[in-house]
Amino acid sequence: MGEQPSVKRKKAAKGSTGKAVTKTAATEPAAKSSAKTAAKSTAKSTAKSTAETAAKTTAKTTAKPESHLAMVRRARRINRELAEVYPYAHPELDFRNPFELLVATVLSAQTTDLRVNQTTPALFAKYPTPEDMAAAVPEELEEAVRPTGFFRAKAKSLIGLSTALRDRFDGEVPGRLEDLVSLPGVGRKTANVVLGNAFGVPGLTVDTHFGRLVRRWKWTAQEDPEKVEAEIAAIFPKSEWTMLSHRVIFHGRRICHSRKPACGACPIAQLCPSYGEGETDPEKARKLLKYEMGGYPGQRLSPPADYPGKPAPARVE
């Protein structure tokens, strides 16, 4: 009799343990089911998100391509818009005659127009004519153009083109493309700068800024400057070529930069198929603006009267 309560306690303990085991066993399938449901839900949500992204990408990729006529119309509208934004667009090299513009343009390779403008006053004071520059001591000319970089090659080109002007063109800069490109160190870009701005002969200046922007705007896919020039020349009337060059180059230097374009501050964003490659937040984009657009000095020491910015500093830094 004395052992019965102990037996009952063992049975009770056994029953209690059994219930606990049964309860745990019962909750495991429920937990697994809940986890499985959550996993399915997450997977479904992720799949939906991926599908939506893929659908958007596909829609963008499979959108009807722009016709050539539509591209031409858009290109000409961009030119008109830029004419309103930059009514003061101009060559950003200081010059007083065709010879100075020719020399300054040769020096502008691989450097800024500002650095050239800071260098040429002393250069032209010492070598004002082709005859003077043709007779220059190479080492002295190299030292004079050193701030523009690649000074040995540039000095060689300047002596070569000055000698050619003296010997073949009576010391005068010719006003024909075929004559200009025959001069040492003078290519089509330099020739078009001189023709358009010193002689009033329309020309397209395909520099790095111009090439970058016309490709971003899908006016051309060409990389070679001469092919770019040919394709853009076919889009615009010849009378627009010189000013179009200035406007595009101005926009490339001030807003549509190479590494981080200021898309959020761009006045032609609605016409640009590459919108979004740069900063789209308006406030952040405004901080990226350069020269007069950002409230800073320009590149010319003696800018045109209608230029809204400040003259560049004369000191070479």
Side-chain angles (χ1 to χ4, degrees):
M1 295 291 294
E3 295 179 354
Q4 285 181 356
S6 176
V7 173
K8 285 183 180 180
R9 280 195 298 271
K10 286 181 180 181
K11 287 183 179 180
K14 184 178 179 181
S16 175
T17 304
K19 284 182 182 179
V21 171
T22 304
K23 187 174 181 180
T24 302
T27 55
E28 283 180 355
K32 288 181 180 179
S33 176
S34 177
K36 192 174 181 181
T37 302
K40 284 183 178 179
S41 178
T42 303
K44 188 175 181 181
S45 177
T46 303
K48 184 179 180 182
S49 177
T50 305
E52 287 176 352
T53 304
K56 288 178 182 178
T57 305
T58 303
K60 189 174 181 180
T61 305
T62 59
K64 186 178 179 181
E66 184 179 45
S67 68
H68 179 73
L69 178 59
M71 181 276 290
V72 170
R73 287 174 174 168
R74 180 172 58 82
R76 292 183 176 182
R77 185 180 170 191
I78 286 176
N79 183 39
R80 292 194 300 271
E81 296 278 348
L82 292 180
E84 293 185 8
V85 177
Y86 309 110
Y88 49 87
H90 60 272
E92 294 193 87
L93 290 168
D94 286 324
F95 69 98
R96 296 169 296 183
N97 55 57
F99 176 63
E100 289 189 355
L101 178 58
L102 177 60
V103 169
T105 307
V106 170
L107 292 177
S108 69
Q110 304 299 315
T111 190
T112 64
D113 286 357
L114 170 59
R115 183 52 58 91
V116 174
N117 291 336
Q118 292 172 327
T119 303
T120 51
L123 178 69
F124 294 139
K126 189 171 184 178
Y127 310 105
T129 68
E131 291 82 2
D132 295 319
M133 196 166 284
V137 176
E139 291 77 14
E140 293 181 2
L141 184 57
E142 287 174 5
E143 193 59 32
V145 302
R146 180 186 288 270
T148 67
F150 301 95
F151 57 93
R152 291 190 179 88
K154 289 180 180 179
K156 183 179 179 180
S157 293
L158 293 183
I159 291 175
L161 71 84
S162 296
T163 301
L165 291 176
R166 181 194 65 191
D167 297 345
R168 292 166 44 204
F169 298 101
D170 299 321
E172 299 292 331
V173 176
R176 298 195 312 164
L177 180 67
E178 52 268 38
D179 292 332
L180 284 168
V181 296
S182 73
L183 301 173
V186 178
R188 288 185 67 89
K189 184 194 83 170
T190 297
N192 280 327
V193 170
V194 174
L195 289 173
N197 298 286
F199 293 101
V201 177
L204 287 169
T205 304
V206 185
D207 69 353
T208 55
H209 300 288
F210 190 95
R212 178 178 74 253
L213 267 63
V214 296
R215 284 187 287 272
R216 276 182 178 168
W217 294 335
K218 311 301 181 187
W219 294 359
T220 181
Q222 299 291 344
E223 295 285 343
D224 180 77
E226 287 194 30
K227 292 180 179 178
V228 171
E229 181 185 341
E231 291 199 3
I232 303 307
I235 297 174
F236 295 93
K238 195 171 183 178
S239 59
E240 286 290 312
W241 290 355
T242 299
M243 287 310 300
L244 171 69
S245 298
H246 291 323
R247 293 163 191 155
V248 173
I249 292 170
F250 256 56
H251 193 63
R253 287 174 172 170
R254 285 149 178 77
I255 296 178
C256 196
H257 311 138
S258 176
R259 295 185 179 180
K260 198 169 184 181
C263 294
C266 181
I268 58 165
Q270 75 281 7
L271 298 171
C272 181
S274 298
Y275 174 79
E277 284 188 10
E279 180 57 66
T280 56
D281 179 84
E283 288 300 322
K284 293 180 180 178
R286 273 193 285 272
K287 294 178 182 178
L288 300 174
L289 300 180
K290 296 182 179 179
Y291 302 113
E292 77 281 358
M293 300 297 284
Y296 307 110
Q299 298 203 73
R300 292 190 69 165
L301 276 63
S302 302
D306 63 344
Y307 180 66
K310 303 173 184 177
R315 184 169 61 88
V316 177
E317 298 178 355

